[in-house]
Amino acid sequence: MPSTKLDPIDRKILAELQEDGRMTNVELARRVGISAPPCLRRVRTLEEAGYIRGYHADVDPRLLGFEVQVFAMVGLSSQAEADLVAFEELCRSWPLVRECHMLNGEIDFILKCVAPDLSTFQSFLTGQLTAAPNVASVRTSLVIRGAKDAPGVPFDVMEERLSRSA
Amino acid sequence: MPSTKLDPIDRKILAELQEDGRMTNVELARRVGISAPPCLRRVRTLEEAGYIRGYHADVDPRLLGFEVQVFAMVGLSSQAEADLVAFEELCRSWPLVRECHMLNGEIDFILKCVAPDLSTFQSFLTGQLTAAPNVASVRTSLVIRGAKDAPGVPFDVMEERLSRSA
DNA sequence: GCTGAAATCGCCTAACG
DNA sequence: CGTTAGGCGATTTCAGC
């Protein structure tokens, strides 16, 4: 599974599947301008090479009863690698934490969390997150409303750069 | 398209499609324990009712040359609704900004950004974001590494709550 | 190597019970 | 919701560039 360079058709496939991950292979093939068999082979190759990590339905948290979304900025008291990894592992074990990113600067981690209601989140915050070993500070901000939620990467920016360097 | 309540099969469908959005309908039907036609009808209904907002391939930004991911915390000088909306619209027009969420507290917005390299991001930051009308302050943090990136909502938490309230 | 064409197999998706 | 059934898509095979 070598990460050989992508050609324009591969990039178009990725852009299309990022936009609509459930598109049929023949429709995808039609859009990228090749026939179905090579298109399917390319998709499999892209999956195996790791360009495509998976396919996910994008569900509406609020409709499903997750009314609360929160960003939590976490500072640790020790940044030793073992302690960082321990905290990351803890985040992976918490279902309410959907994303966890390690950052530079004063904040060590940013967490995106969801919860059915505020009291559920508060009890997670005080009982689990703030109480976890090595956690020095937690600042939380409720999401008032979402303004943009685009998946993955901007392929138009990518194409623009590639044509500039050509 | 009424948002009638979901039964356990609907929730299982959502959980499965969140996990693997490209699963075939017959495989999905098998997993949720019904035959294919009613399964497909349920999926269509869930899509039309807005429970499923779309399907997206999850692509790897780094492999595609987007080496830099940044969270930007933005404060505005005016929080009048028209000014908030204007800033949101601006974010939607910037391809490097993948997510924009309006928050409570001192920070008004949090933005998740990607860029091919640091200099591209810096030029966006100084030339576009900080320079935008009404932007009072921008604090940025580079993502050192991602520790968790789970899609959507935790259906196990949902089921647990539902069984508790039963 | 790559693609495309043909053929098979399996899935999707009506219509009906 | 299940079953049937026809049409279409997916996937292998094979030939050609």
Side-chain angles (χ1 to χ4, degrees):
Chain A
M1 41 234 35
S3 79
T4 105
K5 222 61 191 118
L6 302 177
D7 69 12
I9 294 178
D10 290 321
R11 297 195 299 270
K12 191 88 196 301
I13 287 174
L14 291 170
E16 293 288 345
L17 286 179
Q18 176 173 274
E19 187 66 22
D20 177 5
R22 226 175 145 73
M23 192 183 305
T24 66
N25 182 58
V26 296
E27 170 67 9
L28 179 61
R30 195 189 60 74
R31 292 197 186 201
V32 304
I34 61 179
S35 65
C39 183
L40 184 61
R41 278 192 296 266
R42 280 166 182 264
V43 171
R44 297 281 178 263
T45 302
L46 291 168
E47 289 169 353
E48 276 154 32
Y51 291 97
I52 299 175
R53 296 189 288 211
Y55 304 89
H56 305 287
D58 173 23
V59 303
D60 188 319
R62 283 212 149 81
L63 274 183
L64 292 171
F66 290 86
E67 309 271 344
V68 170
Q69 297 179 57
V70 186
F71 281 91
M73 278 70 99
V74 177
L76 301 186
S77 36
S78 157
Q79 281 86 19
E81 178 62 16
D83 295 317
L84 296 173
V85 170
F87 179 74
E88 291 174 344
E89 196 50 54
L90 214 43
C91 286
R92 273 184 225 109
S93 78
W94 287 324
L96 295 186
V97 175
R98 306 313 290 162
E99 295 181 29
C100 170
H101 308 273
M102 181 177 159
L103 302 182
N104 76 346
E106 344 180 353
I107 302 163
D108 293 310
F109 288 92
I110 189 162
L111 275 51
K112 188 200 272 184
C113 307
V114 297
D117 49 49
L118 215 63
S119 75
T120 301
F121 178 76
Q122 292 292 3
S123 102
F124 163 72
L125 178 62
T126 58
Q128 310 285 312
L129 182 52
T130 305
N134 197 30
V135 168
S137 69
V138 180
R139 256 190 342 108
T140 60
S141 277
L142 276 165
V143 173
I144 304 294
R145 68 183 186 220
K148 179 175 186 175
D149 197 355
V153 302
F155 281 97
D156 46 356
V157 168
M158 191 173 165
E159 295 299 336
E160 205 182 310
R161 276 176 69 81
L162 288 170
S163 60
R164 229 200 307 281
S165 70
Chain B
M1 41 242 21
S3 82
T4 104
K5 221 66 190 111
L6 302 177
D7 70 11
I9 295 179
D10 290 322
R11 298 196 298 270
K12 191 88 196 302
I13 288 174
L14 292 170
E16 293 289 346
L17 286 179
Q18 176 173 272
E19 187 68 22
D20 178 6
R22 229 178 142 72
M23 191 182 308
T24 66
N25 182 58
V26 296
E27 171 67 8
L28 180 61
R30 194 188 62 74
R31 291 196 187 203
V32 305
I34 61 179
S35 65
C39 184
L40 184 63
R41 282 193 292 264
R42 280 167 181 264
V43 171
R44 296 283 177 260
T45 302
L46 291 168
E47 290 169 353
E48 276 155 32
Y51 291 97
I52 298 175
R53 297 188 288 208
Y55 303 89
H56 305 286
D58 174 24
V59 303
D60 188 318
R62 283 212 150 79
L63 275 184
L64 292 171
F66 290 86
E67 309 271 345
V68 171
Q69 297 178 57
V70 185
F71 282 91
M73 278 71 97
V74 177
L76 300 187
S77 36
S78 156
Q79 281 85 20
E81 178 63 16
D83 296 317
L84 296 173
V85 170
F87 180 73
E88 291 174 343
E89 196 50 55
L90 214 44
C91 286
R92 273 182 225 111
S93 78
W94 287 325
L96 296 186
V97 175
R98 306 314 289 164
E99 295 180 30
C100 170
H101 308 272
M102 182 176 159
L103 302 182
N104 75 347
E106 344 180 353
I107 302 163
D108 293 310
F109 288 93
I110 189 162
L111 276 49
K112 188 200 272 184
C113 307
V114 298
D117 51 48
L118 214 62
S119 75
T120 301
F121 178 75
Q122 292 291 2
S123 101
F124 162 73
L125 177 61
T126 58
Q128 309 285 312
L129 182 52
T130 305
N134 198 29
V135 168
S137 69
V138 180
R139 259 191 339 109
T140 60
S141 277
L142 276 166
V143 174
I144 304 293
R145 68 185 186 218
K148 179 175 185 175
D149 197 355
V153 302
F155 281 98
D156 46 356
V157 168
M158 191 174 165
E159 295 299 336
E160 206 183 310
R161 277 176 70 81
L162 288 170
S163 61
R164 229 201 309 281
S165 70

